[in-house]
Amino acid sequence: MAYDLTEKLVIGISSSALFDLTESDEVFRTQGEETYRGYQRENQDNPLVTGVAYPFIRRLLKLNELSDDLINNPLVEVILLSRNDPDTGLRVMNSIEHYNLSITRAVFLQGQSAHKYIPAFDIELFLSANEKDVKQAIDAGYPAGQILHGDIADDIDDTQLRVAFDFDGVLADDESESVYKENKNLDEFYSHESTKVDIAHNPGPLKNLIDRISHIQKIESNYKLQNPSYEPVLRVSIVTARNAPSHKRAINTMRAWGILANEVFFMGGVEKSKVLEILKPHIFFDDQKLHLTSASTLPSVHIPFGIANKVVHNEG
């Protein structure tokens, strides 16, 4: 019987998101593929330094402890999608083993983009540091994000998993954002949202991801009912530039989707980093890089979706 991924939270991750490949990439760029191949073979038993997404992935996989059958029915699957070939990719797999990450499935593509394989594995999020690969995935209608470089430390004493999302262009589509971007008129935007206050937004690229995360939150809640001493570790936050009165449609949309965030911040134009520095999410998703550059000490993911990114591209 085939292994079914359709009911699990599935993350596809590149080597460059999970580990720091700065040194390896430098060898490839300056000395070529054959030297790179020899370098990776010589160092295949030397674990790579952890990368920006590592704290998020480590905690995410730990949620599998909530499963009633950890071996046969984990809640979370993480699949390596690598531009390496199997030979040079062995160091990555050895590093995964070194850090005791329960990642057993891998795809090695020798320089090819992984995006076309996203539906084959029912992936809710493809994380990569490669901007081109992520853009190709988004353009094809697949959920993907570019993890940005940052100086990220993993605090092993911090047992929570905090996941933070922007709303428009990430969880919801860019319909409302398009109204504002067209003429920069906030009154028109508020009027549009008030008119549609009871109409749920169309899903954005990470809607399925938050659905899966919400499902695990409910499993945690049920587990706590049976084990009162258990403290839930998964916390979901929304950090959006919206404010009143546009907050109503966002809340109604979350209700319609059956999703309950632990915290929501309606920032109304206040710099998001002010909240994020206190919240300290293990990953933060936003469709605009201008909201992420000031958060470089936080694990930040750019979702290159919708009108916000088309505008940036055209103006560039």
Side-chain angles (χ1 to χ4, degrees), residues 94-312:
N94 287 345
S95 298
I96 287 171
E97 184 179 359
H98 170 80
Y99 291 109
N100 294 315
L101 298 175
S102 54
I103 300 173
T104 61
R105 292 172 175 81
V107 177
F108 295 102
L109 295 165
Q110 196 180 29
Q112 296 183 70
S113 174
H115 78 274
K116 59 187 175 183
Y117 295 100
I118 290 174
F121 293 98
D122 295 291
I123 287 171
E124 274 81 43
L125 172 66
F126 170 51
L127 271 180
S128 175
N130 188 303
E131 183 176 11
K132 182 179 178 182
D133 283 357
V134 170
K135 187 68 167 61
Q136 286 179 330
I138 288 289
D139 288 347
Y142 302 140
Q146 180 194 2
I147 196 145
L148 304 182
H149 178 73
D151 184 14
I152 310 301
D154 187 12
D155 181 1
I156 59 173
D157 294 324
D158 178 7
T159 59
Q160 283 191 337
L161 169 55
R162 297 179 294 277
V163 184
F165 298 90
D166 181 25
F167 186 75
D168 296 281
V170 176
L171 298 180
D173 71 359
D174 63 341
E175 169 211 341
S176 299
E177 204 161 29
S178 298
V179 172
Y180 174 70
K181 289 286 185 182
E182 188 171 332
N183 57 20
K184 300 290 197 289
N185 188 321
L186 272 175
D187 288 337
E188 186 174 331
F189 168 74
Y190 291 144
S191 175
H192 175 271
E193 292 303 277
S194 296
T195 300
K196 295 193 170 187
V197 66
D198 294 319
I199 300 174
H201 282 276
N202 292 320
L206 299 194
K207 163 61 164 54
N208 287 343
L209 174 65
I210 200 170
D211 280 345
R212 296 292 191 207
I213 289 175
S214 180
H215 175 66
I216 296 175
Q217 279 185 302
K218 291 167 185 173
I219 291 174
E220 261 204 314
S221 295
N222 290 334
Y223 187 85
K224 183 172 176 60
L225 289 175
Q226 300 169 18
N227 303 271
S229 63
Y230 175 77
E231 286 299 324
V233 300
L234 182 55
R235 294 191 68 83
V236 174
S237 304
I238 311 296
V239 185
T240 173
R242 286 175 176 248
N243 61 333
S246 64
H247 69 295
K248 291 184 180 180
R249 189 180 181 199
I251 292 173
N252 287 339
T253 295
M254 300 291 279
R255 284 178 176 175
W257 291 347
I259 291 165
L260 181 63
N262 298 101
E263 299 102 1
V264 179
F265 301 87
F266 293 106
M267 302 295 291
V270 175
E271 189 175 335
K272 292 182 180 182
S273 64
K274 294 180 181 294
V275 159
L276 294 169
E277 286 167 4
I278 299 170
L279 187 64
K280 291 182 170 54
H282 295 102
I283 201 158
F284 172 56
F285 302 95
D286 201 298
D287 67 325
Q288 298 188 56
K289 278 190 175 179
L290 66 90
H291 293 149
L292 297 169
T293 52
S294 60
S296 60
T297 58
L298 297 167
S300 303
V301 179
H302 178 229
I303 309 298
F305 171 82
I307 190 169
N309 292 283
K310 291 175 184 174
V311 169
V312 169

Side-chain angles (χ1 to χ4, degrees), residues 26-55:
E26 179 69 15
V27 172
F28 184 86
R29 286 195 305 270
T30 60
Q31 300 180 52
E33 184 174 350
E34 286 308 309
T35 302
Y36 169 76
R37 186 180 303 281
Y39 172 83
Q40 293 296 60
R41 283 186 177 183
E42 290 170 12
N43 289 279
Q44 68 182 27
D45 294 321
N46 295 327
L48 293 158
V49 175
T50 57
V52 175
Y54 175 84

